[in-house]
Amino acid sequence: MDLSLFDQVEQISQHTLAIDAASLYKALEKVKDRREKKGTRYPLAFVLTLIMLGKMAGQREIAGIIHWVKLREKELRRLLNWPKSFPTYDVYTRVLTHCDHHEIAKAIAQVILNARSVEQCGEEPSRLLAQQVHGEENLIHTAVDGKVMRGTLKHDRDDQPPVHLLTFYECESGIVLDQFSVKKRE
């Protein structure tokens, strides 16, 4: 299974951003678990955190993520306070098929924005961090961009219209917050 959803954005900033595994886990706890409760052994946030840590380490496929996790089991147990066994290939794929990628992207974007605000402000209070303390919504500058997918124009058949994609992204980092196709370009 290819995890290209998270590879869609070209990285604008080339410097490393420190993201705590626990803060990633906490943000991913907000993603709704759509799996059936029967037989669920692993919390959704745990599996998604492992996937994201593997992705941030450069792994592009589930098999690579599983191998990466296996090599770091001891450290991951300590970081995530996880006493049990780790998920198998089937668990990862089942979790990914039952998740809303929009919710995941939103949670990850929030973690990155929080990490960037801490990096930029350090110990100094900022308007962004103060809003979080008081429970207010953060203002995120976003933009919308529409594109027609290459190869979908000038179809011979009328039942194959061109594919138009609409993307919402955070301006400063270029993080895609949401992307979907629209039926007809207006």
Side-chain angles (χ1 to χ4, degrees), residues 28-116:
L28 291 170
E29 284 181 316
K30 296 175 184 172
V31 175
K32 184 177 180 185
D33 193 345
R34 292 174 172 79
R35 299 175 292 170
E36 294 179 18
K37 297 298 177 204
K38 182 181 177 186
T40 302
R41 292 179 49 195
Y42 300 98
L44 178 67
F46 177 70
V47 179
L48 292 176
T49 300
L50 293 176
I51 291 170
M52 287 312 303
L53 291 173
K55 287 291 293 174
M56 290 189 292
Q59 300 302 317
R60 296 181 56 118
E61 297 183 3
I62 295 293
I65 290 170
I66 292 171
H67 182 69
W68 183 88
V69 166
K70 197 169 278 212
L71 292 174
R72 291 156 184 82
E73 255 186 54
K74 188 175 180 181
E75 184 179 353
L76 289 170
R77 281 184 198 285
R78 184 185 54 75
L79 278 173
L80 300 171
N81 194 25
W82 187 255
K84 302 176 189 175
S85 64
F86 281 81
T88 62
Y89 182 89
D90 292 337
V91 173
Y92 287 106
T93 56
R94 195 174 320 112
V95 162
L96 289 173
T97 58
H98 289 90
C99 285
D100 181 356
H101 70 277
H102 298 288
E103 288 182 46
I104 296 170
K106 184 177 177 181
I108 293 167
Q110 190 61 50
V111 169
I112 293 170
L113 288 172
N114 290 346
R116 193 173 341 112

Side-chain angles (χ1 to χ4, degrees), residues 2 10 47 51 64 87 109 117 128 138 151-152 166 172:
D2 186 17
E10 180 182 324
V47 179
I51 291 170
S117 70
L128 180 64
N138 293 330
T152 64
L166 195 59
E172 190 172 334

